[in-house]
Amino acid sequence: MLGICASNAPEALGGLKSWVAQLALPRGMLHGMDVDGVPIPVEELGSVYVKYSTGGAMTFREMRKSKRGFDALWRPGDALLEMYDGDFRGVYFSVELWDGVFRQ
């Protein structure tokens, strides 16, 4: 998982593009920059948090509970941009390796 807290959307999206490209991660859709298909002007977003995942972000149980069907499933490389009112800025990067060993 990759999380980016930034002062504005262009800064966050620049960071996301850079990390994804440098790590050769899958690229997917960006969610959260529109309301019912109408784009939100970048200037209105202010500080933002972007959550990126190389795996689906919703489980089948969550999908069934949401009653939104298969369109609710995120695909590898999808990211979610949300407004963020916290003070932190920076990147959170968490890697899960297939060997099951916890590293810190």
Side-chain angles (χ1 to χ4, degrees):
M1 200 216 23
L2 178 65
I4 300 172
C5 294
S7 298
N8 56 61
E11 184 179 293
L13 297 177
L16 177 64
K17 289 178 184 179
S18 178
W19 277 83
V20 168
Q22 292 299 314
L23 296 173
L25 298 171
R27 292 180 61 186
M29 295 187 66
L30 176 65
H31 303 273
M33 290 199 60
D34 68 273
V35 175
D36 297 326
V38 178
I40 300 171
V42 175
E43 311 80 47
E44 293 180 16
L45 291 171
S47 299
V48 297
Y49 173 72
V50 177
K51 179 182 177 185
Y52 168 91
S53 179
T54 57
M58 185 177 275
T59 65
F60 281 108
R61 174 179 280 160
E62 292 168 334
M63 181 189 70
R64 283 191 294 275
K65 187 176 179 181
S66 75
K67 298 182 179 166
R68 294 189 324 206
F70 284 103
D71 290 336
L73 287 177
W74 285 22
R75 288 160 181 80
D78 282 358
L80 173 66
L81 183 139
E82 298 179 306
M83 295 191 335
Y84 171 72
D85 62 0
D87 296 328
F88 297 104
R89 300 291 182 267
V91 176
Y92 171 81
F93 182 60
S94 175
V95 179
E96 186 175 321
L97 302 175
W98 294 104
D99 62 10
V101 175
F102 176 77
R103 296 171 178 83
Q104 188 167 337

